[in-house]
Amino acid sequence: MNINKYPEIHPGKKLFKRVYVAIMLWTVGKAIQVAAKVDKEVKEELAKLPDNFTLRMMVAPEKAFPLFFYAKTLPAFVVDKGLLFYGIQMILHKDKEGKIKYLGADPKGKKIDLNIVFKNIEAAWMVLSFQESTATAYMHDRFVVEGDLVHSLTFVRVLDIVEIFLLPKIIAKLAVKRYPKWAEMSPLRKFVKRVVIYIRAYTF
Amino acid sequence: MKMHSSYDYEFLNYPKIISGKCSLENIPAELAGYDAQKPLVIVRKSLGKNGALIKKFIRAFADSMVIIGAIYDEVEDYAGISRAREAALLFKDRGCDSLIALGSGAAVDLAKAVNVLVSEKADNFSAYYEEKSISGILKPLIVVPAGLANGREASNNLIIDNREIKSDFLYPDVMVIDHRVAAGCSAADVAESAAIAFAQAFHSFVGNSGNSMVAALAHPALSYLSQYLERGMKKPQNKEASVALVNASVMASIAYANAKPGITNLLAEELARATGISSGIFMGILLPAVIDFLVKDKIKISDEFLLAAGSLDAYAAVAANERGQKGLETAKKLVGVFSRVLPVSLNELKVQKYILAEIARDAAQKSEGFFPAVDCAEILEASWEKTLTK
Amino acid sequence: MLLPGFYDFCCRVRIVSGQNALEKIPAMLKKMKAHTPLVVTDKGVVGAGLVDVVRDAVGKELEIVNVFDNVPVDSDYKIVDEVAKIYRQKNCDSIIAIGGGSVIDTAKGANIVASLGGETLLDYEGFSAVKRKLNPLVVIPTTAGTGSEMTLVAVIADPDRKIKMLFVSYFILPDLAVLDPRMTKTLPDFLTASTAMDAMTHACEAYYCLEKNPLSDSFAMRAIKIISENLLKVVKNPADMEGRLALANASTMAGVAFSNSMVGLVHNLGHTIGAICHVPHGTAMSILLPYGMEYNMHRCGEIIGEILLPLAGPEVYAQTNKKERPEKVVELIRKMNNDLYEATGGRHSRYLNEITDKNGAQVVPESLLPVIAQATMQDGARMANPEECLPADAMLVLEHAWQGKPLDRSKVNKGGTKVKY
Ligand SMILES: [Fe+2]
């Protein structure tokens, strides 16, 4: 048998989806940071997390390949060291005073308390392009949770609220189980929060 | 205390099933669960030639830690020791730690065989034919069914060089059902695979009507066959139908691994051995005769067959004492579909009439007296010549 | 039968069932190359003489000498570590767990440490820590309800950090589950009732919650049928061994269904009430099941209606108008609870305000309902429920369940699209 007839295969990479997911995670991280400041419900939800708490959302596998190649294709603000060396991540930290801060994508030297891991890039893509709602993705085992499950529920709830703020109704309806009626959340609140969060997320 | 409790059984449903959208992309995570990241892929030659399909398959591993050790695509309809040795060599040379069978049938048999060679450090199978049992857990094996099935894909046995090895360690670890590879085989392949699945599910259901666990597995298999067979044969490209039919085939083969052999399967296997034609073709021919036989002899089958093969409403609409009968009618109608693309009689396949008696005897013997030789002969007789129009 | 867009299913536990299933253990262990098992159990099981039943059944073929019977009701990782230590000291090569949920979880945890080495379970936290086959684990459930013999999760508390650690891996699954009616024979009638209703809840929720799939459906349907045909019979006649075996089977089938399909609101509320007011799990399930169905009816009424077939049989199913089926299901579950209430002399509770402790004191005070409603947000079962359930929603359900009146469905918040499975 000529063994060379059957070469070893190194499957490639999915450039577009990686860039998209990285930008979306960055947006979500920033948006949660802002929403925690401006929205009472988000603030209350996040208050349930312990202080000095670090949360990470990432796409498996960690540290798969340095992203030097992608650095040029990404907008400058998204490129940070974490993204280049550790793959796609989003780290949020709640400090002693209870303030939420987006810490970028570099896990080095940080103790991660809650780790939410998309099993593969395709899973992250489906969730972050709203083809699958958070609940459906959870049902389909698209991500796994490391750490206290209770905190991940808090995070998922925050994610739902932020999605309702940021997305137009027609898309948000796909992303959450139940789109709030007028009585549950007024359109005015949605609209004002949407504008505020977008502006502040992209400027600060 | 009743002697024959319907809850007296032993049951194992080993393989994990992953089915539907983006199933292929789950393979790296599944492998990682076994601490594996370098699989050897064994592909059926006909699929291996399909460049677009192989490309899609490899693409599913993009952005993961998986390196594909090699894609071995020399498997045709027959799994033999020389091919197994070649693939085992490749496995060792590349430092692989797991196996993926892409495609049903012989590709799976061969992957299982390679797994025995590399995990048990064996060079041949002669010891395993003679009662030697596989000593322990084998390397992780993931099966991605596609194309013509032989009913052993999700099961606990393999056939290599026409001899069978059976062990619960031979169950694959994961079955991955994805339309990107499952859709698109010929209508005849769909029908033949479905005939096997039907025979396995039917006999698991009917022969073990007391064992609720086996029935629970066979039930969705029968449901999917009755819902999707027509569509799957008409449009083999249809995503939903192809996924459903492969699901049926997987569930049926796990159920059957827990059940007593069925008369259709026993006869078909004997016929296949005598003629070299694949057993699925014979199952398609025999099933109508087997069902006629059950109807004629008023053999009671479980009411729930009608529930599985029909709908909830169809089942509830029939009076209790007619459900068994109605179930058989439904089954007859369902297996009638095979005749559109598969041969309808043994005669058509040029099976010599004089061998039928011997086949009936052998099948009866293999059933350990469960099916008398006269019954077997009667079914064969009825299948020899048919005037069905295609 | 519905074909979901995506599903996964795994239940790789060998099941041995029968009136003489226990007798098969020695041969099965030998097949797994195990000879020296450590029995893990609790004082209650030993007190009921069940370890002796097993010992007699396995006879001379397998001597049971190592028994750890100190598993508390809410086990933690320290117990797990202790079990693993004894396992090593006594040179055991396998575990036989005899008991309910807590015992089974402890055994699963101990098997991790005992098989993979190390001193403590804490080393194996996280989803990817267990990556190879563990040593043989045999489970003999003594309640027909929890279904933990079929789940790949072990929940073990860490009292220092006050958290519940979750260990999830296919390797945690037991190798063998043994279903023998002798193990549930001494269960008092009201516990038979409530544990079976727990299994009923597993099956029903698995059938209509979001992760439903063809195999979980098939197992769930069968479990519902068996429970509705046998439960009242067994409660009235505790010596009905065939009925008990049937219930044990139903519980395991429901376990197969829900470990692959997840549970929803009923368990969400039930877990929370259990944690805050110490209501037994099965009791909470029996009370809340009809409400869980009512709450979700506008999202998946048709699916809930299908449950009528196994619950009441084909005749009733055919006679009931399609639109009325889901309500009929709820009505029949309520009737079942009532029948059990009567058959157990009132020890099977029907409403939250009816639950009393040994001294006759009320267990769930109405004043605690808002606290419970808030805390439901902290339970994982909320994810799989078809309809969103926020504290205000939970409060609505709890108030009705407390008073024992059917849910006013016009008050349920709506606004989601049709559930896609
Ligand atoms: Fe439960």
Side-chain angles (χ1 to χ4, degrees):
Chain A
M1 178 182 63
N2 176 13
I3 224 165
N4 297 324
K5 216 175 120 193
Y6 315 100
E8 195 168 282
I9 297 166
H10 293 254
K13 300 180 181 20
K14 294 182 172 170
L15 177 64
F16 172 75
K17 282 175 183 167
R18 285 193 79 84
V19 173
Y20 177 86
V21 169
I23 294 174
M24 283 307 283
L25 276 189
W26 178 88
T27 311
V28 168
K30 283 293 234 183
I32 291 177
Q33 177 183 319
V34 178
K37 283 194 197 110
V38 301
D39 188 74
K40 199 166 137 261
E41 201 181 343
V42 174
K43 201 186 280 176
E44 277 170 11
E45 275 301 323
L46 288 167
K48 290 180 188 162
L49 297 176
D51 292 340
N52 219 339
F53 185 85
T54 311
L55 174 160
R56 167 168 79 168
M57 199 171 202
M58 60 174 279
V59 181
E62 190 182 16
K63 243 171 146 181
F65 14 75
L67 279 174
F68 293 122
F69 175 70
Y70 302 123
K72 284 179 223 136
T73 61
L74 288 169
F77 59 80
V78 184
V79 179
D80 71 20
K81 255 195 14 232
L83 220 46
L84 295 180
F85 291 106
Y86 297 100
I88 303 167
Q89 316 208 343
M90 173 205 81
I91 299 167
L92 281 171
H93 181 73
K94 183 181 174 189
D95 65 15
K96 278 185 217 109
E97 281 87 50
K99 249 173 64 187
I100 303 288
K101 203 165 169 0
Y102 169 65
L103 289 186
D106 186 357
K108 207 173 168 199
K110 299 187 181 89
K111 190 186 148 283
I112 309 288
D113 298 293
L114 177 67
N115 199 9
I116 297 168
V117 186
F118 285 109
K119 276 190 183 166
N120 50 57
I121 185 78
E122 210 62 37
W125 159 256
M126 280 196 291
V127 174
L128 294 168
S129 60
F130 315 107
Q131 296 172 47
E132 263 184 11
S133 70
T134 352
T136 311
Y138 180 82
M139 296 306 118
H140 289 180
D141 283 339
R142 304 294 192 198
F143 57 85
V144 281
V145 175
E146 246 177 333
D148 198 341
L149 191 77
V150 169
H151 300 320
S152 75
L153 295 174
T154 305
F155 180 71
V156 168
R157 176 70 192 136
V158 169
L159 213 57
D160 275 358
I161 304 174
V162 171
E163 277 175 339
I164 291 167
F165 284 152
L166 295 186
L167 301 171
K169 185 172 175 179
I170 187 165
I171 298 175
K173 267 192 131 166
L174 302 173
V176 299
K177 263 194 215 170
R178 176 176 79 206
Y179 195 77
K181 281 188 301 192
W182 212 89
E184 280 189 275
M185 190 190 281
S186 77
L188 185 68
R189 176 175 157 210
K190 264 177 257 174
F191 182 72
V192 171
K193 297 286 159 68
R194 181 175 304 165
V195 174
V196 172
I197 292 173
Y198 267 123
I199 293 179
R200 290 183 58 175
Y202 282 104
T203 50
F204 290 99
Chain B
M1 201 170 78
K2 267 191 276 174
M3 282 312 286
H4 290 285
S5 164
S6 49
Y7 300 111
D8 233 331
Y9 62 83
E10 198 186 315
F11 173 79
L12 176 65
N13 167 17
Y14 192 82
K16 175 180 183 179
I17 300 173
I18 302 179
S19 160
K21 199 176 174 195
C22 286
S23 295
L24 286 177
E25 277 79 0
N26 272 294
I27 296 177
E30 290 299 323
L31 287 174
Y34 292 93
D35 231 353
Q37 52 182 351
K38 196 168 186 186
L40 173 73
V41 180
I42 292 178
V43 189
R44 188 133 173 191
K45 199 165 196 174
S46 53
L47 289 177
K49 274 188 294 197
N50 183 343
L53 187 140
I54 298 294
K55 218 170 142 188
K56 269 188 230 162
F57 177 78
I58 295 172
R59 187 85 182 132
F61 294 87
D63 272 359
S64 77
M65 300 290 270
V66 169
I67 296 167
I68 295 173
I71 295 184
Y72 181 78
D73 55 3
E74 297 295 332
V75 201
E76 284 171 74
D77 293 336
Y78 177 82
I81 179 79
S82 60
R83 295 273 184 243
R85 282 203 187 112
E86 266 186 21
L89 195 70
L90 206 52
F91 186 99
K92 283 178 230 160
D93 183 75
R94 296 284 156 75
C96 293
D97 49 21
S98 49
L99 283 148
I100 300 177
L102 174 57
S104 305
V108 182
D109 277 327
L110 194 78
K112 288 176 179 172
V114 173
N115 206 355
V116 175
L117 292 183
V118 298
S119 307
E120 300 261 295
K121 305 206 164 47
D123 177 58
N124 60 66
F125 299 102
S126 46
Y128 298 97
Y129 301 143
E130 319 288 332
E131 294 297 293
K132 181 181 174 186
S133 51
I134 292 169
S135 59
I137 298 272
L138 305 175
K139 301 264 190 258
L141 167 63
I142 295 180
V143 172
V144 187
L148 179 59
N150 61 16
R152 289 188 294 277
E153 286 75 18
S155 191
N156 58 349
N157 58 348
L158 71 86
I159 288 184
I160 186 145
D161 288 323
N162 292 324
R163 299 194 62 174
E164 188 187 25
I165 303 174
K166 203 166 185 171
S167 158
D168 282 346
F169 293 116
L170 288 174
Y171 277 116
D173 293 280
V174 190
M175 306 297 298
V176 178
I177 305 169
D178 194 301
H179 70 83
R180 282 169 287 179
V181 294
C185 53
S186 71
D189 285 357
V190 172
E192 193 180 330
S193 307
I196 299 173
F198 185 88
Q200 289 184 328
F202 181 77
H203 288 295
S204 306
F205 210 93
V206 174
N208 284 258
S209 49
N211 181 346
S212 296
M213 293 284 169
V214 173
L217 265 180
H219 181 138
L222 290 165
S223 287
Y224 285 159
L225 284 168
S226 78
Q227 278 170 267
Y228 289 99
L229 183 57
E230 290 254 358
R231 203 195 307 174
M233 278 169 62
K234 256 187 216 138
K235 295 183 187 143
Q237 291 291 348
N238 185 286
K239 289 179 195 173
E240 200 186 332
S242 59
V243 167
L245 290 174
V246 176
N247 260 290
S249 155
V250 167
M251 293 163 188
S253 73
I254 305 174
Y256 190 66
N258 281 285
K260 286 200 190 73
I263 192 164
T264 316
N265 313 61
L266 287 170
L267 287 171
E269 275 151 27
E270 289 307 316
L271 283 164
R273 212 186 315 273
T275 59
I277 299 168
S278 66
S279 60
I281 303 267
F282 289 116
M283 291 189 203
I285 296 172
L286 293 169
L287 275 168
V290 169
I291 293 167
D292 281 343
F293 178 80
L294 294 175
V295 174
K296 194 193 88 209
D297 278 24
K298 300 213 168 63
I299 291 176
K300 254 190 89 64
I301 65 161
S302 160
D303 279 9
E304 282 178 20
F305 178 81
L306 181 61
L307 178 60
S311 67
L312 269 62
D313 291 272
Y315 167 75
V318 176
N321 55 355
E322 288 165 20
R323 280 185 203 124
Q325 198 60 31
K326 188 86 184 164
L328 286 173
E329 277 169 37
T330 314
K332 184 77 194 292
K333 209 170 134 208
L334 189 60
V335 298
V337 178
F338 298 133
S339 65
R340 287 184 207 156
V341 289
L342 296 182
V344 291
S345 67
L346 298 176
N347 185 22
E348 193 181 329
L349 289 172
K350 308 249 168 358
V351 176
Q352 301 298 316
K353 202 165 185 183
Y354 69 87
I355 67 165
L356 296 187
E358 198 184 320
I359 284 170
R361 216 169 32 244
D362 288 351
Q365 200 183 1
K366 288 231 166 88
S367 78
E368 288 162 4
F370 204 73
F371 306 114
V374 270
D375 293 358
C376 294
E378 189 182 331
I379 290 164
L380 288 174
E381 194 74 31
S383 311
W384 195 73
E385 199 166 28
K386 257 182 245 169
T387 47
L388 263 174
T389 43
K390 273 208 182 179
Chain C
M1 194 169 251
L2 199 111
L3 177 72
F6 178 91
Y7 80 90
D8 53 5
F9 180 92
C10 183
C11 87
R12 54 180 58 149
V13 182
R14 192 185 294 275
I15 303 165
V16 174
S17 158
Q19 303 286 357
N20 297 310
L22 292 172
E23 276 78 355
K24 292 183 182 150
I25 295 175
M28 308 293 285
L29 268 182
K30 206 180 269 172
K31 251 196 206 166
M32 295 186 267
K33 301 194 178 86
H35 308 281
T36 324
L38 172 65
V39 169
V40 177
T41 184
D42 60 31
K43 289 272 191 304
V45 171
V46 176
L50 294 177
V51 174
D52 292 329
V53 173
V54 175
R55 197 175 270 136
D56 290 348
V58 298
K60 287 198 197 92
E61 281 179 77
L62 182 75
E63 262 183 89
I64 294 180
V65 277
N66 307 307
V67 178
F68 179 92
D69 62 2
N70 258 333
V71 179
V73 180
D74 37 7
S75 181
D76 59 44
Y77 81 90
K78 289 172 189 165
I79 303 282
V80 167
D81 294 350
E82 203 184 323
V83 174
K85 209 169 138 196
I86 294 172
Y87 184 103
R88 280 194 207 123
Q89 273 170 4
K90 306 274 184 193
N91 283 320
C92 297
D93 53 15
S94 51
I95 294 178
I96 299 180
I98 310 175
S102 180
V103 167
I104 296 173
D105 275 2
T106 305
K108 285 175 181 169
N111 200 24
I112 299 178
V113 187
S115 308
L116 300 181
E119 288 301 311
T120 170
L121 187 64
L122 298 179
D123 297 346
Y124 297 102
E125 246 189 297
F127 69 88
S128 50
V130 183
K131 283 195 174 179
R132 70 169 183 81
K133 176 83 186 72
L134 305 179
N135 295 351
L137 170 61
V138 177
V139 171
I140 311 175
T142 55
T143 53
T146 62
S148 347
E149 67 274 13
M150 287 295 140
T151 57
L152 55 139
V153 187
V155 185
I156 288 152
D158 179 349
D160 308 331
R161 285 183 290 165
K162 289 206 176 94
I163 62 165
K164 281 189 173 173
M165 297 183 289
L166 225 53
F167 296 85
V168 188
S169 165
Y170 286 110
F171 297 118
I172 292 175
L173 277 168
D175 297 274
L176 179 64
V178 183
L179 309 179
D180 191 308
R182 281 171 283 178
M183 304 313 281
T184 57
K185 195 179 158 190
T186 51
L187 207 63
D189 58 357
F190 71 99
L191 282 179
T192 303
S194 68
T195 50
M197 286 308 281
D198 182 21
M200 176 69 109
T201 309
H202 294 155
C204 289
E205 289 207 288
Y207 196 77
Y208 68 75
C209 283
L210 294 179
E211 215 178 325
K212 127 196 207 75
N213 65 62
L215 287 160
S216 72
D217 281 359
S218 178
F219 282 97
M221 279 286 202
R222 286 180 164 72
I224 295 168
K225 180 164 182 260
I226 297 171
I227 295 171
S228 81
E229 284 173 356
N230 288 282
L231 179 53
L232 205 60
K233 222 173 68 188
V234 172
V235 167
K236 286 183 179 159
N237 172 20
D240 178 355
M241 295 302 264
E242 195 60 26
R244 285 205 180 271
L245 182 58
L247 286 181
N249 266 269
S251 158
T252 298
M253 285 184 189
V256 173
F258 94 91
S259 69
N260 282 288
S261 163
M262 311 292 276
V263 284
L265 178 68
V266 181
H267 272 79
N268 184 355
L269 296 178
H271 289 156
T272 317
I273 297 175
I276 294 175
C277 305
H278 305 284
V279 174
H281 182 65
T283 305
M285 292 302 104
S286 333
I287 295 170
L288 293 165
L289 178 56
Y291 294 96
M293 290 173 164
E294 283 174 321
Y295 184 73
N296 287 303
M297 211 178 274
H298 64 284
R299 292 300 287 269
C300 51
E302 206 174 306
I303 303 279
I304 294 174
E306 289 176 4
I307 294 176
L308 188 61
L309 182 69
L311 191 68
E315 283 74 24
V316 177
Y317 181 87
Q319 281 156 19
T320 314
N321 194 314
K322 193 171 179 183
K323 275 211 179 101
E324 287 153 12
R325 280 176 195 155
E327 280 149 36
K328 184 85 182 167
V329 169
V330 173
E331 185 195 315
L332 287 175
I333 299 274
R334 288 216 164 95
K335 181 174 175 295
M336 214 166 158
N337 275 331
N338 248 323
D339 292 346
L340 291 170
Y341 174 85
E342 274 156 26
T344 58
R347 294 187 73 184
H348 180 82
S349 311
R350 298 163 299 176
Y351 332 119
L352 291 178
N353 75 5
E354 214 171 62
I355 313 172
T356 49
D357 61 15
K358 275 181 212 140
N359 311 317
Q362 191 171 46
V363 175
V364 188
E366 195 171 12
S367 59
L368 271 182
L369 296 186
V371 181
I372 298 169
Q374 273 299 333
T376 53
M377 295 296 282
Q378 314 279 318
D379 185 83
R382 69 183 302 272
M383 294 297 283
N385 196 62
E387 179 60 278
E388 177 71 281
C389 182
L390 300 176
D393 306 311
M395 192 61 200
L396 179 80
V397 177
L398 285 170
E399 276 170 347
H400 285 81
W402 195 82
Q403 293 168 349
K405 58 180 187 194
L407 187 69
D408 181 353
R409 289 198 282 123
S410 65
K411 286 190 182 151
V412 176
N413 275 316
K414 302 177 180 84
T417 42
K418 192 169 182 277
V419 176
K420 256 194 277 164
Y421 289 100

